[in-house]
């Protein structure tokens, strides 16, 4: 009886967090009532909103821009991610650990902060890159307020997704397959494209589709780089619909459903592509990873790593620092750039004089803690039920907890808005609606992260506890939880960081009392004050850096504690 009640309880919670908001979003797209004024209504159900949206040339233009930006960004991400995974895993390039660390650094940068940094660097009139070109006498100009700028920033910031998938696949691939090709007379270049890359094609496809899906749901980068030239993508168009007077919630719901369907089709395609073929490269026979001797070219590949680090970390960071400390962003020439009299703390004084700044920091930390604690506990219960039990219904729990991977963050925000805005005395207007939306949004990431820890614990440890008379809860408390503690801390940290940097969902769910840092940062940018925007971006980045460093320290301590106990 207890397993049945437990599965029912988990399905009810997941249904409340995931299924109910999506059904309300679909209902909103099929009606013409205003949820704020008239509440939720089942009258006048029709597909009129979908027909209106599909016939709207602005939606078609936004969809085309979305596909071009995400498609181009994905091509760059695949090229960069694949190149660095090959350099790190398959070559004798010096300082490979440094290149590996540089390859995943963009994952920690909030998309909105990245967009702001590249707006400072690549503005056609006041951009620092154009100032430097002018100083060294080059008649070149860059303009990141364009489709090419959007594609470039998407590509370099989402290359780590491809890197993580392909580097793991390359490490697990038996090098004897490449050696056989070379013995048969194939050159190193031919071996790379006829043996190595085809064998890790599942990882390449996974990384490619995942980066495309993530880009589909991003709001911050297109909001910053596309707004000055009215370059709309689906996410910015949905937000614009809810800001019109009167807000077009029904139309926004219909566009959100279309975005969700596109994302869902890509996730289905990913499973279809990977499920139909055999790419076995790991067998029972042991092998030693092989490094290709690049000779003098190894310093060239090391130089590529340095250039990537400069482009994705050093240049954007310098741009934020210059804009945050400089009194005015107008830079007449390079000598003005290095004039110390032009720099002060005025933007930091200004943002901390604004009571909204401290309130947004407090709200962000509060939402992050609630999301990490509640979401971590739910992910632990979900992951344990899926991977450590044989109860009936666990497959449904797995399916529902994975469903949000196909739902962009912005759509989650619209869905929660529809689910709660029309219900009096509900969650709308509280911190909890933000936390619940983030828990639902990042449920697949957290459960997947925890699953690795569960799969590493041998079942005989639990069986030994049962033989000694421990029940299920006692076994979890004394055996599973202590051994999985590093993974639990890492998952909760991941949730905390993702919640603090999330913008898409927050845009639809915040009120003046629950404004979070990412929303206030966008507010500063749209207010036209680049100095305040850069200063607040630095504050957010430093806060995230401190939190990630502290979490790593805690995780290492937990891991050492676990090793000591099991030893």
């Amino acid at each position: 009886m207890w397993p049945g009640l437990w599965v029912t309880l988990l399905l009810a919670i997941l249904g409340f967090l995931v299924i109910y908001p999506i059904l309300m979003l679909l209902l909103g797209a099929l009606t013409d009532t205003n949820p704020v004024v008239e509440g939720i209504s089942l009258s006048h159900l029709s597909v009129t909103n979908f027909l209106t949206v599909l016939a709207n040339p602005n939606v078609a233009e936004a969809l085309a821009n979305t596909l071009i930006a995400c498609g181009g960004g994905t091509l760059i991400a695949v090229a960069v991610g694949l190149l660095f995974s090959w350099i790190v895993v398959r070559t004798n390039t010096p300082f490979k650990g440094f290149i590996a660390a540089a390859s995943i650094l963009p994952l920690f940068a909030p998309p909105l902060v990245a967009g702001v940094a590249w707006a400072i660097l690549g503005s056609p009139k006041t951009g620092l890159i154009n100032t430097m070109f002018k100083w060294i006498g080059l008649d070149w100009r860059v303009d990141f307020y364009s489709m090419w700028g959007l594609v470039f920033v998407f590509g370099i910031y989402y290359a780590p997704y491809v890197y993580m998938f392909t580097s793991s696949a390359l490490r697990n691939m038996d090098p004897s397959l490449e050696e056989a090709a070379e013995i048969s007379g194939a050159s190193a270049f031919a071996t790379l494209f006829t043996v190595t890359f085809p064998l890790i094609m599942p990882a390449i496809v996974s990384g490619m589709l995942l980066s495309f899906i993530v880009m589909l749901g991003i709001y911050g980068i297109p909001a910053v780089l596309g707004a000055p030239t009215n370059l709309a993508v689906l996410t910015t168009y949905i937000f614009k619909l809810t800001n019109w007077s009167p807000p077009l919630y029904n139309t926004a719901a219909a566009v959100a459903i279309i975005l969700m369907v596109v994302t869902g089709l890509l996730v289905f395609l990913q499973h279809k592509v990977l499920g139909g073929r055999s790419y076995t490269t790991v067998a029972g026979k042991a092998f030693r990873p092989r490094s290709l001797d690049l000779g003098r070219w190894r310093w060239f590949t090391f130089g590529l790593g340095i250039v990537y680090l400069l482009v994705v970390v050093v240049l954007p960071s310098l741009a934020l620092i210059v804009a945050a400390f400089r009194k005015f962003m107008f830079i007449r020439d390079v000598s003005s750039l290095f004039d110390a009299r032009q720099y002060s703390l005025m933007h930091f004084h200004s943002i901390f004089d604004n009571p909204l700044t401290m309130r947004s920091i407090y709200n962000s930390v509060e939402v992050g803690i609630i999301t990490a604690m509640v979401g971590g506990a739910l992910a632990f219960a979900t992951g344990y039920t899926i991977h450590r039990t044989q109860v009936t219904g666990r497959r449904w729990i797995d399916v529902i907890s994975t469903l949000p991977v196909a739902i962009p963050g912005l759509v989650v925000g619209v869905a929660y808005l529809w689910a709660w805005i029309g219900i009096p005395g509900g969650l709308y207007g509280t911190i909890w609606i933000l936390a619940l939306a983030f828990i639902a949004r990042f449920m697949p990431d957290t459960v997947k992260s925890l699953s690795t820890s569960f799969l590493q614990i041998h079942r005989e440890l639990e069986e030994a506890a049962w033989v000694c008379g421990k029940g299920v809860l006692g076994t979890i408390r004394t055996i599973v939880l202590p051994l999985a503690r590093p993974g639990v801390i890492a998952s909760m940290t991941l949730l905390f960081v993702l919640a603090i940097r999330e913008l898409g969902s927050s845009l639809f769910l915040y009120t003046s009392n629950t404004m979070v840092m990412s929303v206030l940062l966008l507010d500063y940018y749209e207010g036209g004050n680049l100095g305040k925007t850069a200063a607040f971006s630095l504050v957010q980045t430093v806060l995230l850096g401190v939190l990630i460093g502290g979490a790593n320290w805690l995780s290492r301590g937990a891991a050492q504690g676990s090793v000591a106990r099991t030893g």
Side-chain angles (χ1 to χ4, degrees):
M1 185 180 72
W2 287 110
L5 286 175
W6 174 247
V7 169
T8 304
L9 178 64
L10 267 185
L11 285 174
I13 294 172
L14 292 174
F16 169 76
L17 287 175
V18 179
I19 304 296
Y20 167 64
I22 297 302
L23 288 178
M24 295 307 295
L25 179 69
L26 183 61
L27 177 64
L30 293 173
T31 62
D32 56 359
T33 55
N34 186 326
V36 178
V37 179
E38 303 165 65
I40 304 300
S41 170
L42 292 175
S43 61
H44 309 296
L45 291 177
S46 74
V47 294
T48 306
N49 289 320
F50 286 103
L51 296 177
T52 304
V53 161
L54 293 174
N56 188 336
N58 293 328
V59 175
E61 183 184 346
L63 178 61
N65 288 338
T66 301
L67 295 177
I68 293 170
C70 297
T74 301
L75 289 178
I76 294 176
V78 169
V80 173
L82 198 53
L83 174 66
F84 282 107
S85 64
W86 178 74
I87 288 175
V88 169
V89 180
R90 279 292 199 254
T91 71
N92 64 339
T93 300
F95 306 109
K96 289 194 294 187
F98 167 74
I99 296 176
S103 299
I104 60 169
L105 277 178
L107 283 178
F108 302 109
L112 182 59
V113 172
V116 169
W118 279 97
I120 297 167
L121 284 167
S123 166
K125 294 181 180 176
T126 60
L128 295 178
I129 293 177
N130 289 326
T131 302
M132 297 304 290
F133 282 162
K134 185 179 177 183
W135 176 58
I136 59 180
L138 290 174
D139 190 24
W140 295 351
R141 307 283 294 175
V142 295
D143 180 6
F144 276 75
Y145 293 150
S146 63
M147 177 60 80
W148 290 114
L150 195 55
V151 167
F152 176 77
V153 176
F154 266 161
I156 60 171
Y157 276 93
Y158 292 96
Y161 288 96
V162 180
Y163 169 83
M164 288 190 297
F165 277 89
T166 53
S167 60
S168 298
L170 283 173
R171 283 193 184 91
N172 289 329
M173 198 181 82
D174 189 345
S176 63
L177 301 167
E178 293 166 307
E179 290 167 3
E182 290 173 7
I183 291 171
S184 301
S187 66
F189 189 75
T191 302
L192 194 64
F193 284 92
T194 57
V195 177
T196 309
F197 289 164
L199 276 173
I200 61 165
M201 189 55 70
I204 297 174
V205 173
S206 288
M208 183 177 71
L209 286 175
L210 180 62
S211 56
F212 190 95
I213 289 165
V214 173
M215 289 177 205
L216 272 181
I218 292 296
Y219 176 83
I221 294 174
V224 172
L225 298 179
T229 53
N230 292 321
L231 181 65
V233 296
L234 280 179
T235 50
T236 54
Y237 187 75
I238 291 172
F239 184 62
K240 191 187 293 183
L241 287 173
T242 61
N243 272 284
W244 281 356
S245 183
L248 301 177
Y249 290 118
N250 307 89
T251 312
V255 179
I257 291 286
I258 291 174
L259 181 59
M260 191 174 70
V261 169
V262 172
T263 312
L265 286 175
L266 287 169
V267 173
F268 175 75
L269 178 65
Q270 183 185 24
H271 286 288
K272 199 74 178 172
V273 167
L274 301 184
R277 298 177 63 180
S278 173
Y279 295 89
T280 304
T281 58
V282 183
K285 184 182 175 183
F287 61 86
R288 191 172 62 181
R290 186 193 68 153
S291 290
L292 180 66
D293 185 4
L294 294 178
R296 288 178 298 178
W297 285 98
R298 69 185 188 282
W299 293 106
F300 174 72
T301 51
F302 173 68
L304 289 178
I306 296 294
V307 170
Y308 182 68
L309 184 67
L310 281 173
V311 170
V312 301
V313 178
V314 178
L315 281 179
S317 300
L318 286 177
L320 288 177
I321 291 170
V322 168
F325 288 95
R326 195 173 173 84
K327 295 176 186 173
F328 305 100
M329 258 321 278
F330 174 71
I331 301 173
R332 187 177 60 256
D333 50 35
V334 172
S335 60
S336 168
L337 182 63
F338 295 102
D339 185 354
R341 293 171 299 177
Q342 300 297 324
Y343 292 87
S344 76
L345 294 172
M346 62 179 281
H347 297 309
F348 290 94
H349 289 309
S350 178
I351 61 171
F352 282 106
D353 283 342
N354 183 356
L356 276 178
T357 298
M358 289 310 297
R359 187 185 300 168
S360 71
I361 293 174
Y362 176 79
N363 286 339
S364 295
V365 173
E366 187 180 359
V367 170
I369 291 173
I370 294 173
T371 306
M373 300 298 288
V374 179
L378 181 60
F380 186 91
T382 305
Y384 185 85
T385 306
I386 294 171
H387 296 287
R388 309 298 292 189
T389 71
Q390 300 295 326
V391 295
T392 305
R394 65 192 178 94
R395 296 306 306 166
W396 279 107
I397 293 173
D398 191 12
V399 169
I400 297 176
S401 65
T402 309
L403 201 58
V405 78
I407 308 173
L410 199 93
V411 177
V412 171
V414 181
Y416 268 70
L417 179 76
W418 265 101
W420 295 110
I421 195 169
I423 299 178
L427 290 173
Y428 186 73
T430 68
I431 285 289
W432 278 93
I433 192 172
L434 287 165
L436 292 178
F438 295 163
I439 291 169
R441 166 84 178 83
F442 301 120
M443 177 72 66
D445 308 75
T446 322
V447 173
K448 187 177 179 183
S449 172
L450 265 175
S451 300
T452 309
S453 298
F454 286 133
L455 293 174
Q456 287 175 333
I457 302 171
H458 201 286
R459 286 193 179 276
E460 66 183 18
L461 295 170
E462 288 174 272
E463 290 165 0
W466 294 335
V467 169
C468 294
K470 292 281 186 184
V472 174
L473 288 178
T475 304
I476 292 174
R477 184 175 57 81
T478 56
I479 302 293
V480 179
L481 189 56
L483 290 174
R485 188 182 297 171
V488 174
I489 293 176
S491 302
M492 292 173 75
T493 306
L494 177 70
L495 265 178
F496 189 91
V497 171
L498 290 173
I500 284 194
R501 47 174 281 180
E502 172 65 12
L503 173 65
S505 306
S506 312
L507 279 173
F508 297 94
L509 303 174
Y510 83 95
T511 62
S512 57
N513 290 325
T514 59
M515 180 178 278
V516 290
M517 291 179 75
S518 53
V519 176
L520 183 60
L521 179 60
L522 183 66
D523 195 46
Y524 278 136
Y525 180 78
E526 291 180 341
N529 194 321
L530 210 52
K532 285 185 184 179
T533 310
F536 201 51
S537 296
L538 282 182
V539 171
Q540 189 177 8
T541 305
V542 170
L543 181 63
L544 278 174
V546 170
L547 291 170
I548 291 170
N552 278 339
W553 178 75
L554 280 176
S555 184
R556 276 204 301 271
Q560 288 168 359
S562 296
V563 170
R565 278 190 298 277
T566 53

